[in-house]
Amino acid sequence: MRTRQAPIGITAKDIAAEAVYLAGGGRALLLQIAHPAVGRGVAEHSDFATRMMDRLHATMTFVYASVYATPEEFAVVRRSVNRAHSPVRAQAAGDAPAYNAFDPELQLWVAATLYATMIDLYERFFGMIRDADAERIYREFTVLGSSLQVPPDAWPQSRAAFEEYWRDRLAELRPNADTKRVARQILYPSAIPWWMRALFPQARLVTVGLLPPEVRTGFGLAWDDRLQTRFDRWMRWAVLIYPRLPARLRHSPRDAYLKRLRASIG
């Protein structure tokens, strides 16, 4: 049970700066593709088997740019993403649902997985966010979410409404054979740098451990008391060490991605 309290007065930008969310990227991705329509779109238009690092860099650049870049810088990123998304659409076919990368409901689900993952990890590492701050932070995230093409009025109107929306969507998630194949590409990537290969068993443990149990089951991912114990042990050590690191180190991925973006723009 989380009994610690997060610092008073934190903002959505404070939360989004933390490097620990790199550990939650796989969780957010698996939650996204467990949605039948999002999953079909990803399965038919993405290649995690050979382009895992490209996908990671593109996603992190977009997330950090949406929060911290200038409007002019973000416009460059957004145009690039829109070009990539323009062919991502298909009509329903048999039991397979229609999908469109610009569908507001699907965009909301993608944005919601990012928000929920950030809040979950922040509270694991820094303590429970106080109610007054949590409601304000939620509103801040809905504004930031407009960069993800989800206007603020498309989000549930309050944190309580979001929790209801989240529970309802979780109950509708249905991984199928295609999305299970994509999940395996995410959890067992082949085209990654050699130095990441040694780290990936731990990354895989954390990714699967962070998933809601029903989603883990839906993907057919193995989990038992032994794995839960290993996950709990990893989290205890990480929670002990990470918050004590200097802020410049904890925020270094954000700074590196923004520097890389600005260099590419020139």
Side-chain angles (χ1 to χ4, degrees), residues 3 13 43 52 81 89 110 134 137 148 171 192 194 200 209-210 214 255:
T3 57
K13 286 190 173 183
M52 180 73 171
V81 171
R89 63 185 69 207
V110 170
I137 288 166
L148 300 167
I192 58 174
W194 64 267
F200 230 85
L210 289 173
E214 61 270 37
D255 298 338

PDB file of all heavy atoms in Angstrom, residues 3 13 43 52 81 89 110 134 137 148 171 192 194 200 209-210 214 255:
ATOM      1  N   THR A   3       1.704   4.719   1.149  1.00  0.00           N
ATOM      2  CA  THR A   3       1.324   5.608   2.242  1.00  0.00           C
ATOM      3  C   THR A   3       2.075   6.930   2.186  1.00  0.00           C
ATOM      4  O   THR A   3       1.677   7.888   2.830  1.00  0.00           O
ATOM      5  CB  THR A   3       1.606   4.938   3.593  1.00  0.00           C
ATOM      6  OG1 THR A   3       2.994   4.576   3.669  1.00  0.00           O
ATOM      7  CG2 THR A   3       0.753   3.691   3.763  1.00  0.00           C
ATOM      8  N   LYS A  13       3.842  19.138 -15.650  1.00  0.00           N
ATOM      9  CA  LYS A  13       5.172  19.228 -16.250  1.00  0.00           C
ATOM     10  C   LYS A  13       6.234  18.635 -15.341  1.00  0.00           C
ATOM     11  O   LYS A  13       7.200  18.034 -15.819  1.00  0.00           O
ATOM     12  CB  LYS A  13       5.501  20.681 -16.604  1.00  0.00           C
ATOM     13  CG  LYS A  13       4.750  21.193 -17.816  1.00  0.00           C
ATOM     14  CD  LYS A  13       5.288  22.536 -18.281  1.00  0.00           C
ATOM     15  CE  LYS A  13       4.640  22.951 -19.592  1.00  0.00           C
ATOM     16  NZ  LYS A  13       5.199  24.222 -20.116  1.00  0.00           N
ATOM     17  N   ALA A  43      -1.067  -3.503 -35.643  1.00  0.00           N
ATOM     18  CA  ALA A  43      -0.639  -4.776 -36.244  1.00  0.00           C
ATOM     19  C   ALA A  43      -0.461  -4.658 -37.750  1.00  0.00           C
ATOM     20  O   ALA A  43       0.423  -5.298 -38.331  1.00  0.00           O
ATOM     21  CB  ALA A  43      -1.658  -5.864 -35.914  1.00  0.00           C
ATOM     22  N   MET A  52      12.159  -1.340 -33.467  1.00  0.00           N
ATOM     23  CA  MET A  52      11.814  -1.060 -32.086  1.00  0.00           C
ATOM     24  C   MET A  52      12.386   0.280 -31.618  1.00  0.00           C
ATOM     25  O   MET A  52      11.701   1.099 -31.033  1.00  0.00           O
ATOM     26  CB  MET A  52      12.326  -2.195 -31.186  1.00  0.00           C
ATOM     27  CG  MET A  52      12.020  -2.001 -29.709  1.00  0.00           C
ATOM     28  SD  MET A  52      10.270  -2.266 -29.370  1.00  0.00           S
ATOM     29  CE  MET A  52      10.274  -2.239 -27.581  1.00  0.00           C
ATOM     30  N   VAL A  81       4.266  13.349 -37.535  1.00  0.00           N
ATOM     31  CA  VAL A  81       3.393  12.286 -37.029  1.00  0.00           C
ATOM     32  C   VAL A  81       2.135  12.172 -37.887  1.00  0.00           C
ATOM     33  O   VAL A  81       1.681  11.066 -38.204  1.00  0.00           O
ATOM     34  CB  VAL A  81       3.039  12.552 -35.552  1.00  0.00           C
ATOM     35  CG1 VAL A  81       1.957  11.589 -35.071  1.00  0.00           C
ATOM     36  CG2 VAL A  81       4.288  12.430 -34.686  1.00  0.00           C
ATOM     37  N   ARG A  89      -5.654   3.564 -41.603  1.00  0.00           N
ATOM     38  CA  ARG A  89      -7.115   3.512 -41.559  1.00  0.00           C
ATOM     39  C   ARG A  89      -7.584   2.300 -42.342  1.00  0.00           C
ATOM     40  O   ARG A  89      -6.910   1.846 -43.272  1.00  0.00           O
ATOM     41  CB  ARG A  89      -7.723   4.797 -42.143  1.00  0.00           C
ATOM     42  CG  ARG A  89      -7.415   5.023 -43.610  1.00  0.00           C
ATOM     43  CD  ARG A  89      -7.942   6.364 -44.080  1.00  0.00           C
ATOM     44  NE  ARG A  89      -7.187   7.456 -43.485  1.00  0.00           N
ATOM     45  CZ  ARG A  89      -7.672   8.677 -43.269  1.00  0.00           C
ATOM     46  NH1 ARG A  89      -8.932   8.948 -43.588  1.00  0.00           N
ATOM     47  NH2 ARG A  89      -6.922   9.617 -42.756  1.00  0.00           N
ATOM     48  N   VAL A 110      -5.329   6.273 -26.409  1.00  0.00           N
ATOM     49  CA  VAL A 110      -3.864   6.330 -26.430  1.00  0.00           C
ATOM     50  C   VAL A 110      -3.371   7.356 -25.409  1.00  0.00           C
ATOM     51  O   VAL A 110      -2.460   7.086 -24.614  1.00  0.00           O
ATOM     52  CB  VAL A 110      -3.355   6.668 -27.845  1.00  0.00           C
ATOM     53  CG1 VAL A 110      -1.855   6.977 -27.828  1.00  0.00           C
ATOM     54  CG2 VAL A 110      -3.641   5.511 -28.795  1.00  0.00           C
ATOM     55  N   ALA A 134      -4.029  16.466  -7.439  1.00  0.00           N
ATOM     56  CA  ALA A 134      -4.344  15.451  -8.447  1.00  0.00           C
ATOM     57  C   ALA A 134      -5.412  15.945  -9.418  1.00  0.00           C
ATOM     58  O   ALA A 134      -5.319  15.705 -10.630  1.00  0.00           O
ATOM     59  CB  ALA A 134      -4.800  14.168  -7.768  1.00  0.00           C
ATOM     60  N   ILE A 137      -3.759  18.565 -11.636  1.00  0.00           N
ATOM     61  CA  ILE A 137      -2.839  17.903 -12.572  1.00  0.00           C
ATOM     62  C   ILE A 137      -3.617  17.215 -13.688  1.00  0.00           C
ATOM     63  O   ILE A 137      -3.215  17.250 -14.850  1.00  0.00           O
ATOM     64  CB  ILE A 137      -1.941  16.909 -11.815  1.00  0.00           C
ATOM     65  CG1 ILE A 137      -0.921  17.670 -10.962  1.00  0.00           C
ATOM     66  CG2 ILE A 137      -1.237  15.950 -12.771  1.00  0.00           C
ATOM     67  CD1 ILE A 137      -0.226  16.814  -9.932  1.00  0.00           C
ATOM     68  N   LEU A 148      -1.912  15.894 -28.380  1.00  0.00           N
ATOM     69  CA  LEU A 148      -2.125  14.548 -28.893  1.00  0.00           C
ATOM     70  C   LEU A 148      -3.419  14.460 -29.704  1.00  0.00           C
ATOM     71  O   LEU A 148      -3.939  13.386 -29.947  1.00  0.00           O
ATOM     72  CB  LEU A 148      -2.167  13.545 -27.734  1.00  0.00           C
ATOM     73  CG  LEU A 148      -0.904  13.464 -26.881  1.00  0.00           C
ATOM     74  CD1 LEU A 148      -1.175  12.682 -25.608  1.00  0.00           C
ATOM     75  CD2 LEU A 148       0.221  12.831 -27.652  1.00  0.00           C
ATOM     76  N   ALA A 171     -12.392  -3.160 -19.361  1.00  0.00           N
ATOM     77  CA  ALA A 171     -13.303  -4.300 -19.524  1.00  0.00           C
ATOM     78  C   ALA A 171     -13.544  -4.633 -20.992  1.00  0.00           C
ATOM     79  O   ALA A 171     -13.977  -5.742 -21.313  1.00  0.00           O
ATOM     80  CB  ALA A 171     -14.633  -4.006 -18.831  1.00  0.00           C
ATOM     81  N   ILE A 192      17.658  -4.488 -31.323  1.00  0.00           N
ATOM     82  CA  ILE A 192      17.997  -3.493 -30.312  1.00  0.00           C
ATOM     83  C   ILE A 192      19.503  -3.522 -30.099  1.00  0.00           C
ATOM     84  O   ILE A 192      20.159  -4.518 -30.391  1.00  0.00           O
ATOM     85  CB  ILE A 192      17.264  -3.744 -28.974  1.00  0.00           C
ATOM     86  CG1 ILE A 192      17.589  -5.144 -28.439  1.00  0.00           C
ATOM     87  CG2 ILE A 192      15.768  -3.546 -29.134  1.00  0.00           C
ATOM     88  CD1 ILE A 192      17.012  -5.406 -27.063  1.00  0.00           C
ATOM     89  N   TRP A 194      23.193  -3.962 -28.566  1.00  0.00           N
ATOM     90  CA  TRP A 194      23.692  -5.086 -27.760  1.00  0.00           C
ATOM     91  C   TRP A 194      23.614  -4.790 -26.268  1.00  0.00           C
ATOM     92  O   TRP A 194      23.316  -5.679 -25.474  1.00  0.00           O
ATOM     93  CB  TRP A 194      25.137  -5.416 -28.153  1.00  0.00           C
ATOM     94  CG  TRP A 194      26.112  -4.298 -27.858  1.00  0.00           C
ATOM     95  CD1 TRP A 194      26.510  -3.300 -28.699  1.00  0.00           C
ATOM     96  CD2 TRP A 194      26.790  -4.074 -26.617  1.00  0.00           C
ATOM     97  NE1 TRP A 194      27.377  -2.451 -28.081  1.00  0.00           N
ATOM     98  CE2 TRP A 194      27.586  -2.915 -26.790  1.00  0.00           C
ATOM     99  CE3 TRP A 194      26.806  -4.725 -25.389  1.00  0.00           C
ATOM    100  CZ2 TRP A 194      28.388  -2.398 -25.787  1.00  0.00           C
ATOM    101  CZ3 TRP A 194      27.614  -4.208 -24.375  1.00  0.00           C
ATOM    102  CH2 TRP A 194      28.394  -3.062 -24.577  1.00  0.00           C
ATOM    103  N   PHE A 200      17.087  -6.183 -20.950  1.00  0.00           N
ATOM    104  CA  PHE A 200      15.700  -6.400 -21.346  1.00  0.00           C
ATOM    105  C   PHE A 200      14.937  -7.419 -20.500  1.00  0.00           C
ATOM    106  O   PHE A 200      13.718  -7.274 -20.331  1.00  0.00           O
ATOM    107  CB  PHE A 200      15.588  -6.733 -22.834  1.00  0.00           C
ATOM    108  CG  PHE A 200      14.554  -5.880 -23.498  1.00  0.00           C
ATOM    109  CD1 PHE A 200      14.882  -4.611 -23.955  1.00  0.00           C
ATOM    110  CD2 PHE A 200      13.246  -6.306 -23.625  1.00  0.00           C
ATOM    111  CE1 PHE A 200      13.923  -3.790 -24.532  1.00  0.00           C
ATOM    112  CE2 PHE A 200      12.284  -5.507 -24.197  1.00  0.00           C
ATOM    113  CZ  PHE A 200      12.619  -4.238 -24.652  1.00  0.00           C
ATOM    114  N   GLY A 209       4.736  -6.708 -15.086  1.00  0.00           N
ATOM    115  CA  GLY A 209       4.297  -6.488 -13.712  1.00  0.00           C
ATOM    116  C   GLY A 209       3.431  -5.250 -13.541  1.00  0.00           C
ATOM    117  O   GLY A 209       2.573  -5.211 -12.659  1.00  0.00           O
ATOM    118  N   LEU A 210       3.642  -4.233 -14.390  1.00  0.00           N
ATOM    119  CA  LEU A 210       2.866  -3.001 -14.288  1.00  0.00           C
ATOM    120  C   LEU A 210       1.480  -3.104 -14.926  1.00  0.00           C
ATOM    121  O   LEU A 210       0.625  -2.246 -14.692  1.00  0.00           O
ATOM    122  CB  LEU A 210       3.630  -1.846 -14.948  1.00  0.00           C
ATOM    123  CG  LEU A 210       4.874  -1.334 -14.219  1.00  0.00           C
ATOM    124  CD1 LEU A 210       5.617  -0.321 -15.092  1.00  0.00           C
ATOM    125  CD2 LEU A 210       4.513  -0.710 -12.874  1.00  0.00           C
ATOM    126  N   GLU A 214      -5.965  -8.249 -15.447  1.00  0.00           N
ATOM    127  CA  GLU A 214      -6.846  -8.747 -16.496  1.00  0.00           C
ATOM    128  C   GLU A 214      -6.241  -8.559 -17.881  1.00  0.00           C
ATOM    129  O   GLU A 214      -6.514  -9.350 -18.801  1.00  0.00           O
ATOM    130  CB  GLU A 214      -8.225  -8.070 -16.414  1.00  0.00           C
ATOM    131  CG  GLU A 214      -8.230  -6.561 -16.598  1.00  0.00           C
ATOM    132  CD  GLU A 214      -8.065  -5.775 -15.316  1.00  0.00           C
ATOM    133  OE1 GLU A 214      -7.302  -6.221 -14.432  1.00  0.00           O
ATOM    134  OE2 GLU A 214      -8.684  -4.694 -15.204  1.00  0.00           O
ATOM    135  N   ASP A 255      15.814  16.085 -21.612  1.00  0.00           N
ATOM    136  CA  ASP A 255      16.712  17.096 -22.163  1.00  0.00           C
ATOM    137  C   ASP A 255      17.400  16.593 -23.428  1.00  0.00           C
ATOM    138  O   ASP A 255      17.589  17.347 -24.386  1.00  0.00           O
ATOM    139  CB  ASP A 255      17.756  17.493 -21.112  1.00  0.00           C
ATOM    140  CG  ASP A 255      17.111  18.110 -19.870  1.00  0.00           C
ATOM    141  OD1 ASP A 255      15.968  18.600 -19.985  1.00  0.00           O
ATOM    142  OD2 ASP A 255      17.746  18.086 -18.806  1.00  0.00           O
TER     143      ASP A 255
END
